[in-house]
Amino acid sequence: MKVLLDLLFTFARIGGLTFGGGYAMLPMLQKEVVENRGWATEDELMDYYAIGQCTPGIIAVNTATFVGQKTAGIAGGIMATLGIVFPSLVIITVIAAFIQNFADLAVVQNAFAGIRICVCVLIFNAVIKLWKKAVIDKGTLAIFLVVFVGSVLTSLSPIVFVIIAAAAGIFLKNKEVSKS
């Protein structure tokens, strides 16, 4: 029961204190889940994050569910999911009730402009961390470049890029194994 409450409150803190969505949550997830709690390794968290990005739903919720399930089974997945979702639900409900009354105020518009910049920096930091773990050799750099250029120059679904990257990763790893 203690671990379930720990999952609930840890993910509630992450969900309540992180602004900017799933990408902005990566540094806090890494600190709490990997460094402070030891619920997952850094590689496992990156895998959960990658899978969470590719599956339907919100990336932070998917990642929390994976970590919770690994830590304490189905009940752990449920508690982690509730923890990450509940603060946002409360905050969004309160903001929605009052936003129309204050949206035109210069101070609110300026605050949102500042928050958007902060979120960009948080996302950029998350990208750098992911880059360091994901792009580790010429093969992974090639996959990155193909997906990046393809996503910039075409309007293909992200699912297509995920499938292409997965197939390329399998091909490259099998090629490495066969050389050994």
Side-chain angles (χ1 to χ4, degrees):
M1 187 62 165
K2 181 186 179 312
V3 73
L4 293 177
L5 291 175
D6 201 19
L7 282 164
L8 177 72
F9 292 126
T10 298
F11 281 101
R13 186 171 58 253
I14 293 168
L17 299 177
T18 310
F19 294 89
Y23 293 113
M25 287 183 178
L26 183 59
M28 195 169 192
L29 279 169
Q30 196 274 336
K31 184 171 181 67
E32 285 295 324
V33 171
V34 176
E35 294 173 20
N36 294 350
R37 307 277 185 220
W39 288 333
T41 67
E42 198 161 323
D43 287 340
E44 286 173 328
L45 183 62
M46 291 302 128
D47 289 344
Y48 296 154
Y49 217 69
I51 295 167
Q53 175 68 35
C54 300
T55 53
I58 301 166
I59 189 170
V61 174
N62 295 344
T63 303
T65 305
F66 292 140
V67 171
Q69 195 279 330
K70 178 193 181 252
T71 304
I74 293 173
I78 291 169
M79 293 304 268
T81 302
L82 289 174
I84 203 119
V85 169
F86 186 72
S88 299
L89 182 64
V90 171
I91 292 167
I92 289 168
T93 301
V94 170
I95 290 172
F98 297 103
I99 192 74
Q100 292 303 320
N101 299 333
F102 302 106
D104 294 332
L105 296 177
V107 68
V108 173
Q109 292 174 353
N110 294 338
F112 281 131
I115 290 170
R116 283 191 296 272
I117 296 300
C118 179
V119 168
C120 288
V121 171
L122 293 172
I123 291 171
F124 182 74
N125 285 337
V127 167
I128 296 299
K129 281 188 174 197
L130 284 168
W131 171 275
K132 288 178 182 178
K133 287 289 181 185
V135 181
I136 55 174
D137 56 22
K138 290 179 183 176
T140 53
L141 177 60
I143 294 170
F144 170 82
L145 291 173
V146 167
V147 171
F148 181 77
V149 170
S151 67
V152 169
L153 298 178
T154 70
S155 60
L156 290 173
S157 167
I159 298 295
V160 172
F161 293 114
V162 170
I163 292 168
I164 290 169
I170 291 167
F171 173 78
L172 290 174
K173 285 299 176 185
N174 285 338
K175 188 175 172 184
E176 283 178 19
V177 170
S178 66
K179 282 185 179 180
S180 301

